[in-house]
Amino acid sequence: DQQVKQNSPSLSVQEGRISILNCDYTNSMFDYFLWYKKYPAEGPTFLISISSIKDKNEDGRFTVFLNKSAKHLSLHIVPSQPGDSAVYFCAASKSGGSNYKLTFGKGTLLTVNP
Amino acid sequence: NAGVMQNPRHLVRRRGQEARLRCSPMKGHSHVYWYRQLPEEGLKFMVYLQKENIIDESGMPKERFSAEFPKEGPSILRIQQVVRGDSAAYFCASSPRGTQNTGELFFGEGSRLTVL
């Protein structure tokens, strides 16, 4: 039972354009969502997060949108840069003492072409 | 390097052998987590430890897997009598706070186990 789904295994965009990565979840108990970025042969690194009490969080070129009713979140990268090429994992957790227990999607490989 | 340190980076074992993976958390972090990534899958939580204590092992397979985080030294994930299905990348993460944190974990580079 996959509770966090990233239905696009890969995405290719041109440098300077917007990258939109999507994520859906099924467990309504999730109330905290994170995006991690992973380069080959490295560990995931935290990128941005959002609590379920918000619908948008922005950090520089990165913005995460949360639509609770649709159980959907998205990560927008504007403008995209070649250095953004990596695998992006969506993750979710529940508060109440177990928020270290992240449920990850399978990831989306983003390629930003110069 | 003040990051999470894992070793070995690559480990090859034959079926039935033992695998030991080590993890030193970031300086100042006393909470350690192990995650496993099977091929073509997302990372899955295995276990959460503090010094000398297992806090949550709900993601650990019931047999052959164990983890510890002794008072001195790194955390160790031990897999006995490995099988081919244990082939995966094992990631260690740490955090400065435990259950109060927001899920922002600091991951190591991972240990890739291959079982022949």
Side-chain angles (χ1 to χ4, degrees):
Chain A
D1 176 30
Q2 205 178 341
Q3 299 185 64
V4 176
K5 299 178 184 178
Q6 294 178 256
N7 292 320
S8 297
S10 62
L11 174 68
S12 182
V13 299
Q14 285 298 121
E15 181 178 5
R17 298 289 188 102
I18 184 171
S19 296
I20 300 176
L21 296 99
N22 293 303
C23 178
D24 298 291
Y25 62 98
T26 58
N27 190 335
S28 57
M29 297 297 290
F30 288 144
D31 56 7
Y32 200 79
F33 304 90
L34 308 93
W35 286 92
Y36 278 81
K37 175 179 173 180
K38 185 181 180 304
Y39 292 117
E42 294 186 11
T45 55
F46 170 76
L47 189 59
I48 193 169
S49 62
I50 188 166
S51 164
S52 61
I53 62 173
K54 295 185 177 181
D55 55 18
K56 177 182 174 181
N57 188 26
E58 190 172 351
D59 183 1
R61 296 185 298 114
F62 303 91
T63 303
V64 56
F65 295 92
L66 175 63
N67 182 334
K68 282 179 60 180
S69 60
K71 294 192 178 68
H72 177 84
L73 62 154
S74 61
L75 174 68
H76 293 212
I77 307 174
V78 181
S80 301
Q81 301 174 352
D84 296 330
S85 297
V87 176
Y88 288 78
F89 290 101
C90 172
S93 67
K94 309 171 199 174
S95 58
S98 63
N99 43 18
Y100 53 83
K101 197 182 296 185
L102 302 179
T103 301
F104 282 85
K106 292 186 178 183
T108 296
L109 173 62
L110 173 66
T111 302
V112 180
N113 301 302
Chain B
N1 186 346
V4 177
M5 302 300 293
Q6 290 189 248
N7 69 83
R9 292 293 308 279
H10 300 277
L11 183 63
V12 179
R13 286 287 178 266
R14 296 192 180 280
R15 281 179 297 168
Q17 291 184 319
E18 179 179 290
R20 285 192 180 218
L21 309 177
R22 289 175 290 278
C23 169
S24 296
M26 282 183 72
K27 189 175 181 180
H29 290 190
S30 58
H31 302 264
V32 166
Y33 316 85
W34 286 92
Y35 278 74
R36 175 168 70 171
Q37 184 182 24
L38 295 170
E40 309 299 322
E41 297 289 328
L43 285 75
K44 286 186 166 52
F45 169 79
M46 298 181 75
V47 62
Y48 162 33
L49 310 106
Q50 292 181 40
K51 285 285 187 182
E52 300 184 278
N53 286 303
I54 297 174
I55 307 302
D56 181 350
E57 58 181 347
S58 59
M60 288 278 270
K62 295 288 184 266
E63 297 177 347
R64 302 186 297 107
F65 285 71
S66 62
E68 62 176 6
F69 189 14
K71 186 176 180 181
E72 300 292 337
S75 174
I76 296 181
L77 180 67
R78 181 184 179 203
I79 312 171
Q80 295 178 289
Q81 300 171 359
V82 296
V83 301
R84 287 216 174 104
D86 296 333
S87 295
Y90 292 82
F91 290 95
C92 174
S94 70
S95 69
R97 295 172 297 279
T99 53
Q100 292 78 31
N101 79 26
T102 53
E104 295 168 21
L105 306 179
F106 296 82
F107 283 89
E109 295 178 327
S111 292
R112 183 165 298 280
L113 172 65
T114 301
V115 180
L116 302 178

